Amino acid sequence: MRRKLFAGNWKMNLGPNEARALIAELRRELDPQAAHLSRDRDILVAPPFISIPAAAQALAGSSILLGAQNAHFEDQGAFTGEIAPTMLKAFGVSHVILGHSERRHIFGESDELIGKRVAGVIAKRLNAILCVGETLNERDRGATLEVVLRQLQNGLSAVKPEDSKRVIVAYEPVWAIGTGRTATPEQAQEVHAALRESLRDHFGRQPADEIPLLYGGSVTPENVEALIAKPDIDGALVGGASLKAASFAAIVRAGRPTE
Ligand code: PGA
């Protein structure tokens, strides 16, 4: 049985004080159920870099994991504006989101650069959450699978089979991010199944079948159940709805096994 993952991508929101406050609220919501929830799922928050130290403190003793929204592939050097994987690890970061569509489309990160970042964080024993997703234009011209499979293959090109356990993939259609327009569970499952097949080619069947495939793009407490009911959707990468404790906690509890 694959573990599920529910990850909150805070993007460029919440400074250190706000991060502390949201985590305190989240813990009030989720800590009482932590033992139950942790049976089949992980919960993660990914604050902006500057809020990571405060978030780490606020998470002490919690089972909620700490993530970052990017990382460089080298561990030190002349890379103005970048953060190294070991700097993140020093604060207890376990996962790094890479290749988010905002990194690709606003900041021009290429498949090649993203592949180097993925390999760099995995080399430092961090988990990579590789994001892939097509634009509306690409979907409309029938290029969805071609685009996401190219992003997947380039993103993982330097990852060795023995490191498959450090890989998580998030399918986030660009047209669904922050738009209130979610992919239907069927649309998402179709892409997830293709991603799974490609992962089997890369890592072999059994390792690929253990990789969590997240859906992201306007996930809410209302639509998450139907999404994760699909066989290849193993959780969610949540933007807007992760900024409020009540909505993120409701998403995290989705489809949980009954007592
Ligand atoms: P959203 O963002 O939930 O606000 O659509 C998702 C993401 O970009 O990871």
Side-chain angles (χ1 to χ4, degrees):
M1 244 271 286
R2 276 191 289 278
R3 272 185 86 69
K4 292 191 173 61
L5 174 65
F6 294 87
N9 173 13
W10 294 2
K11 309 193 178 183
M12 199 174 72
N13 296 292
L14 310 185
N17 291 335
E18 297 159 313
R20 266 190 217 99
L22 177 55
I23 288 170
E25 266 191 83
L26 264 182
R27 294 190 63 171
R28 275 195 295 276
E29 291 265 359
L30 294 173
D31 278 4
Q33 295 160 304
H36 179 56
L37 291 171
S38 66
R39 262 186 252 152
D40 77 334
R41 65 196 57 204
D42 292 312
I43 307 165
L44 176 117
V45 292
F49 291 130
I50 196 72
S51 299
I52 284 176
Q57 271 182 350
L59 287 170
S62 163
S63 55
I64 300 173
L65 302 169
L66 184 57
Q69 299 172 22
N70 206 356
H72 194 62
F73 46 89
E74 295 285 354
D75 223 33
Q76 59 176 29
F79 302 105
T80 302
E82 292 283 322
I83 304 277
T86 36
M87 295 173 184
L88 298 169
K89 253 192 125 161
F91 286 96
V93 166
S94 56
H95 291 65
V96 183
I97 299 169
L98 294 166
H100 189 278
S101 78
E102 287 146 21
R103 299 303 320 169
R104 293 177 189 270
H105 296 291
I106 304 175
F107 301 101
E109 291 197 10
S110 65
D111 273 355
E112 189 203 351
L113 173 59
I114 292 160
K116 283 164 93 171
R117 292 189 192 272
V118 169
V121 308
I122 289 177
K124 296 297 169 193
R125 322 315 293 162
L126 285 156
N127 302 297
I129 304 176
L130 171 64
C131 303
V132 300
E134 81 288 3
T135 63
L136 190 56
N137 183 280
E138 289 161 342
R139 174 162 285 267
D140 286 346
R141 63 183 164 84
T144 297
L145 294 183
E146 175 199 325
V147 168
V148 299
L149 293 177
R150 187 200 70 225
Q151 292 172 339
L152 183 77
Q153 281 149 19
N154 290 334
L156 297 180
S157 58
V159 179
K160 300 187 201 79
E162 61 267 30
D163 286 325
S164 65
K165 287 194 163 53
R166 301 206 173 268
V167 174
I168 292 153
V169 179
Y171 167 55
E172 298 203 307
V174 179
W175 47 270
I177 295 178
T179 58
R181 183 176 165 200
T182 324
T184 65
E186 292 69 30
Q187 283 173 322
Q189 168 59 27
E190 183 194 7
V191 175
H192 283 224
L195 293 170
R196 182 86 62 204
E197 266 319 304
S198 178
L199 289 168
R200 285 175 180 155
D201 290 342
H202 189 87
F203 291 120
R205 177 170 279 270
Q206 208 215 319
D209 287 354
E210 285 170 14
I211 294 178
L213 299 187
L214 315 184
Y215 168 79
S218 298
V219 172
T220 64
E222 290 71 40
N223 61 32
V224 66
E225 297 272 357
L227 286 159
I228 65 162
K230 292 292 178 190
D232 288 293
I233 304 183
D234 310 310
L237 182 54
V238 188
S242 73
L243 297 174
K244 292 269 180 290
S247 52
F248 189 53
I251 288 169
V252 162
R253 293 189 194 105
R256 71 190 187 283
T258 43
E259 304 280 349

